[in-house]
């Protein structure tokens, strides 16, 4: 039998939903969060499906569980779940999770303003500012990001040829910049992004193998990052990130921003220490920065940081019972 009641704190990070699940945690095997992620996907993915998809969630839903640290010096572990799967890392989800957990007293920092997080993708450190019981901002220092493939040509029905890059920032992103057959997100509708993104993603994953060199369980290009002209004058760049089957990220996307900065750095278009204000499809912003450079299995990589904010919108108790024919969710595509 698969049933339970899951308490949740709901909110958003710069417009994109975050559902912090505060009860009903499955007991996961493994010494690392990467190993625990594999156990969750093998045996407990029904929880993700039930809480992320309709009728209890929706196409953009993204969530998380917090667990005890899996490293001796860690403060807390995070497991990310969303409609696109159980992710290695999620930037907007981290900002929301930390904000909600601190404001509700679910985690305590050993050093005020600093948290050490264990994620399936690796160690992510966080700075935050809290005032009068509210978290004003969260700045995460993400896992190393790198450009995996450059100038890959694909054929897209109705569009024609596209040149894309694939970059890693905690997930693999297919980055599409304005070109002959793509005028930019400022000239496209959301329906066009939703139409062509699955085709681009499928084509790339058939053509290339995207596997993290240090963790073979992190594989596949899961997100498509379309770029274009920003709406706000102080934005460095704008993007629309496609994920799942029909979702566009309402936030600027934290791992996507990391991947974008890695791509720009590799092409000599962004320097270490340079502020990168990344704008979402709805105009919200993250402030990114390349904090330093490193290597991932001899490949040049950056150490990215992302700063953003989150707001709580409510709490809920969600019941899942397998006698409900829609217990484990559905999509209308």
């Amino acid at each position: 039998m698969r049933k339970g009641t899951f308490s949740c704190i709901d909110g958003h990070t710069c417009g994109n939903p975050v559902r912090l699940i505060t009860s009903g945690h499955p007991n996961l095997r493994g010494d690392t969060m990467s190993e625990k992620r594999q156990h969750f996907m093998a045996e407990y993915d029904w929880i993700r499906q039930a809480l992320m998809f309709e009728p209890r969630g929706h196409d953009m839903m993204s969530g998380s569980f917090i667990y005890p640290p899996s490293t001796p010096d860690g403060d807390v572990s995070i497991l990310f779940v969303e409609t696109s799967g159980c992710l290695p890392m999620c930037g907007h989800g981290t900002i929301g999770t930390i904000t909600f957990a601190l404001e509700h007293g679910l985690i305590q920092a050993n050093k005020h303003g600093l948290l050490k997080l264990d994620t399936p993708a690796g160690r992510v450190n966080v700075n935050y500012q809290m005032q009068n019981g509210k978290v004003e901002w969260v700045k995460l220092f993400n896992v190393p990001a790198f450009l995996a493939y450059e100038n890959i040509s694909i054929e897209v029905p109705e569009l024609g040829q596209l040149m894309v890059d694939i970059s890693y920032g905690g997930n693999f992103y297919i980055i599409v910049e304005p070109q002959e057959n793509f005028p930019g997100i400022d000239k496209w509708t959301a329906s066009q992004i939703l139409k062509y993104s699955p085709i681009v993603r499928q084509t790339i994953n058939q053509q290339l193998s995207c596997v993290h060199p240090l963790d073979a369980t992190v594989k596949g290009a899961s997100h498509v990052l379309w770029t274009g002209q920003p709406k706000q004058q102080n934005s460095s760049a704008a993007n629309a990130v496609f994920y799942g089957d029909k979702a566009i990220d309402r936030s600027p996307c934290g791992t996507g921003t990391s991947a974008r900065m890695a791509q720009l750095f590799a092409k000599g278009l962004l320097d270490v220490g340079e502020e990168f204000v990344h704008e979402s499809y709805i105009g919200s912003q993250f402030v990114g920065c390349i904090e330093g450079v490193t290597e991932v299995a001899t490949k040049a990589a950056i150490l990215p940081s992302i700063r953003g904010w989150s707001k709580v919108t409510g709490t809920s108790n969600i019941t899942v019972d397998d006698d409900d024919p829609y217990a484990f969710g559905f999509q209308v595509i």
Side-chain angles (χ1 to χ4, degrees), residues 186-229:
D186 46 302
K187 296 180 177 65
W188 261 20
T189 63
S191 62
Q192 287 175 294
I193 294 169
L194 294 173
K195 177 181 178 180
Y196 292 112
S197 292
I199 302 169
V200 169
R201 181 172 62 190
Q202 181 181 20
T203 302
I204 283 294
N205 283 312
Q206 288 173 344
Q207 190 168 320
L208 298 173
S209 176
C210 296
V211 181
H212 195 285
L214 301 181
D215 187 349
T217 68
V218 179
K219 57 187 177 181
S222 52
H223 297 61
V224 185
L225 191 158
W226 304 85
T227 73
Q229 289 298 312

Side-chain angles (χ1 to χ4, degrees), residues 55-293:
R56 297 163 186 83
H58 51 74
D59 291 313
M60 273 63 64
M61 184 57 75
S62 179
S64 63
F65 290 90
I66 53 175
Y67 280 90
S70 56
T71 58
D73 65 334
D75 291 303
V76 67
S77 296
I78 305 180
L79 181 78
F80 303 101
V81 291
E82 65 172 45
T83 53
S84 66
C86 185
L87 299 181
M89 177 56 193
C90 180
H92 97 275
T94 297
I95 294 169
T97 298
I98 295 305
T99 297
F100 305 167
L102 285 170
E103 290 183 357
H104 286 76
L106 301 178
I107 57 176
Q108 301 290 331
N110 291 319
K111 183 178 179 182
H112 181 73
L114 172 66
L115 287 166
K116 298 178 179 180
L117 313 180
D118 297 323
T119 78
R123 167 57 55 83
V124 174
N125 291 326
V126 159
N127 292 150
Y128 64 89
Q129 182 167 298
M130 200 165 183
Q131 189 77 25
N132 299 321
K134 297 286 187 179
V135 176
E136 296 182 340
W137 53 260
V138 172
K139 182 178 181 179
L140 63 95
F141 297 84
N142 199 11
V143 296
F146 56 88
L147 181 63
Y149 295 96
E150 186 174 0
N151 296 327
I152 303 300
S153 174
I154 60 173
E155 285 292 327
V156 180
E158 297 181 26
L159 279 184
Q161 184 188 54
L162 287 180
M163 299 296 293
V164 305
D165 296 333
I166 295 95
S167 191
Y168 177 81
N171 303 287
F172 282 101
Y173 286 79
I174 303 162
I175 301 176
V176 191
E177 299 187 81
Q179 53 195 276
E180 182 180 357
N181 294 322
F182 169 58
I185 58 170
D186 46 302
K187 296 180 177 65
W188 261 20
T189 63
S191 62
Q192 287 175 294
I193 294 169
L194 294 173
K195 177 181 178 180
Y196 292 112
S197 292
I199 302 169
V200 169
R201 181 172 62 190
Q202 181 181 20
T203 302
I204 283 294
N205 283 312
Q206 288 173 344
Q207 190 168 320
L208 298 173
S209 176
C210 296
V211 181
H212 195 285
L214 301 181
D215 187 349
T217 68
V218 179
K219 57 187 177 181
S222 52
H223 297 61
V224 185
L225 191 158
W226 304 85
T227 73
Q229 289 298 312
K231 299 178 179 71
Q232 302 202 50
Q233 217 169 22
N234 67 331
S235 294
S236 307
N239 82 113
V241 167
F242 172 85
Y243 65 95
D245 290 321
K246 53 176 182 174
I248 297 175
D249 200 330
R250 274 61 170 158
S251 83
C253 189
T255 55
T257 300
S258 300
R260 178 70 164 145
M261 290 194 295
Q263 178 220 24
L264 294 173
F265 177 78
K267 294 188 170 189
L269 300 174
L270 190 65
D271 294 329
V272 174
E274 186 177 349
E275 186 175 87
F276 180 72
V277 181
H278 211 193
E279 182 181 290
S280 75
Y281 196 60
I282 66 169
S284 57
Q285 296 171 319
F286 282 162
V287 180
C289 184
I290 300 174
E291 302 289 340
V293 295

Side-chain angles (χ1 to χ4, degrees), residues 6 9-10 49 133 146 163 220 234 249 262 292 320:
F6 300 86
I9 302 169
D10 284 316
Q49 294 171 359
F146 56 88
M163 299 296 293
N234 67 331
D249 200 330
V320 178

